[in-house]
Amino acid sequence: MGPIHCRGEQVMKMIKSFKSLTLYLGKRDYVDHVDSVDPVEGVLKIDPADLGDRKGIASINLACAFRYGREDLDVIGLSFRKDIWIQHIQLYPDAGHKPTLTEMHDTLLKKAGEQGHPFTFNIPTNLPCSVTLQPGPDDTGKACGVDFEVKAYLAQSADDPDEKIDKKDTCRLVIRKIQFAPDNTGSGQKAELCKSFMMSDKPVFLEASLDKEIYYHGDPIPVTVKIKNETNKVVKKIKVTVDQTTDVVLYSADKYTKNVLCEEFGETVEGNANFEKTLPITPLLSNNKEKRGLSLDGRLKDEDTNLASTTIIRGGMDKEMLGILVSYKIKVNLMVSGGG
């Protein structure tokens, strides 16, 4: 089965303020177009008057991290968060970051006023998209998965990794890197099977095929089924399932498969008869809300999301950098009279 992908994004203005820092972002979703990623354009408002007598350095980070444990379990000094990639920009005092101003910057600067400092982060194309592992009903805290976070903070030193930053001097926003696939996709896949039965010298031929390579979230997936039944047995029904496979490659060889759709079609194929029909299926997260560990497109708080998009692996990419690999498989089963 081809990849499942998102269709687009929602543009909205996000503001996070804390004491002397106010962080402005034009949107929360940034699209991976395979050969490029939307730049993260924002403005940090820094009010020197709020700093008082303190001497501080205002900086901003964009980090891509893999979280594989709850923060409240971090009681023996173990870290359950691993940074995959991080970029740092010093904005105050001015350290020379002069991004090319865009229409988005201009809009945000009007809101921030004269104390606004524009910034731009360029996300590399080899980083993973945001993925959240669906928590169980009793799970608390931040979910496991891959996330992106923009964090602004005040520090005493520009480059001291051991300095502890007070929470009151920090503001942060989680953003989402989402996979988008072009419309000009390739042809679909096809699978064939020839099954023989005891006490029968002739088989049943089964062929299942898709009309294209990529499907978008919420779109029906038409599965074309062809059956050539040369036996005297009766095909009583057809069962179609979709499985999601999640491969956690960053810290262990943890690979598991979960079913996200199972539908039965009451189609009958008599002995020595042929059959051909297209069966539409639509795997949806709304039908899988209770399945713990299911991979989802990165979730922002309690906002709606989708089943995770299929991971696109381009040539030369380091799989470990991707953190979590997601794929899907369609299975077609025939239920035959007399078992099998």
Side-chain angles (χ1 to χ4, degrees):
M1 171 180 169
I4 296 177
H5 291 292
C6 62
R7 187 183 294 280
E9 59 179 316
Q10 179 183 10
V11 176
M12 55 197 303
K13 293 181 174 60
M14 303 303 301
I15 302 173
K16 188 69 178 286
S17 180
F18 208 103
K19 298 291 185 181
S20 54
L21 300 177
T22 305
L23 178 59
Y24 297 82
L25 291 179
K27 56 185 179 180
R28 296 289 287 273
D29 286 347
Y30 296 85
V31 180
D32 184 341
H33 301 277
V34 181
D35 56 353
S36 66
V37 183
D38 291 347
V40 180
E41 299 168 345
V43 168
L44 181 63
K45 180 180 179 181
I46 306 166
D47 189 351
D50 287 343
L51 297 178
D53 296 330
R54 295 184 302 159
K55 291 183 179 180
I57 296 173
S59 299
I60 192 161
N61 287 346
L62 173 59
C64 171
F66 178 60
R67 185 185 305 279
Y68 51 96
R70 303 206 316 266
E71 289 180 325
D72 58 352
L73 297 178
D74 190 4
V75 293
I76 56 175
L78 295 176
S79 174
F80 290 92
R81 176 186 170 94
K82 178 179 178 63
D83 286 332
I84 300 174
W85 174 86
I86 188 168
Q87 187 174 357
H88 169 89
I89 298 173
Q90 179 179 318
L91 294 177
Y92 178 88
D94 185 359
H97 179 68
K98 301 293 183 184
T100 300
L101 296 184
T102 64
E103 185 177 343
M104 180 65 75
H105 283 125
D106 292 340
T107 300
L108 299 178
L109 284 169
K110 289 178 182 178
K111 290 184 173 292
E114 295 180 355
Q115 296 168 339
H117 298 258
F119 62 85
T120 298
F121 287 107
N122 293 307
I123 302 176
T125 56
N126 65 335
L127 293 183
C129 290
S130 300
V131 177
T132 298
L133 300 185
Q134 182 163 261
D138 300 326
D139 291 340
T140 60
K142 292 184 178 180
C144 298
V146 175
D147 63 35
F148 288 78
E149 182 182 78
V150 181
K151 181 177 75 172
Y153 61 93
L154 287 172
Q156 297 301 309
S157 173
D159 53 4
D160 182 3
D162 298 324
E163 180 180 354
K164 292 189 176 181
I165 308 300
D166 197 312
K167 285 187 176 181
K168 67 181 179 61
D169 293 328
T170 302
C171 60
R172 59 186 70 196
L173 281 172
V174 174
I175 63 174
R176 184 166 57 181
K177 177 174 177 280
I178 56 178
Q179 184 69 63
F180 184 81
D183 291 330
N184 55 338
T185 61
S187 58
Q189 300 181 39
K190 181 174 69 173
E192 298 175 330
L193 176 69
C194 178
K195 174 69 175 179
S196 298
F197 298 90
M198 292 182 64
M199 309 302 293
S200 177
D201 58 349
K202 293 187 177 180
V204 173
F205 294 94
L206 169 64
E207 177 187 300
S209 61
L210 303 175
D211 63 339
K212 58 182 180 179
E213 185 179 18
I214 291 177
Y215 297 89
Y216 295 97
H217 293 302
D219 286 354
I221 301 174
V223 182
T224 299
V225 177
K226 296 180 181 180
I227 301 170
K228 185 178 181 181
N229 185 8
E230 296 185 352
T231 72
N232 56 3
K233 295 179 178 291
V234 177
V235 177
K236 298 188 295 184
K237 60 183 176 182
I238 302 171
K239 184 170 74 170
V240 181
T241 60
V242 179
D243 291 337
Q244 179 197 79
T245 298
T246 299
D247 188 1
V248 183
V249 296
L250 188 64
Y251 75 100
S252 73
D254 188 5
K255 187 174 183 178
Y256 55 90
T257 297
K258 292 184 179 291
N259 178 262
V260 295
L261 179 141
C262 180
E263 290 190 23
E264 293 185 353
F265 298 86
E267 306 289 348
T268 300
V269 185
E270 300 293 336
N272 299 301
N274 296 332
F275 172 89
E276 179 176 348
K277 189 172 183 179
T278 297
L279 307 175
I281 58 172
T282 309
L284 296 171
L285 175 57
S286 57
N287 299 327
N288 296 276
K289 288 285 191 179
E290 304 302 319
K291 293 183 180 178
R292 186 177 187 271
L294 199 64
S295 291
L296 316 177
D297 277 345
R299 174 174 284 169
L300 301 174
K301 291 189 177 180
D302 296 324
E303 294 181 13
D304 289 337
T305 185
N306 302 293
L307 295 170
S309 298
T310 301
T311 305
I312 295 180
I313 302 178
R314 296 179 289 275
M317 294 183 70
D318 182 356
K319 286 187 177 182
E320 287 195 3
M321 282 282 287
L322 297 176
I324 297 175
L325 307 180
V326 180
S327 61
Y328 293 87
K329 179 185 290 185
I330 288 178
K331 296 180 183 178
V332 178
N333 286 52
L334 304 182
M335 306 303 169
V336 181
S337 61

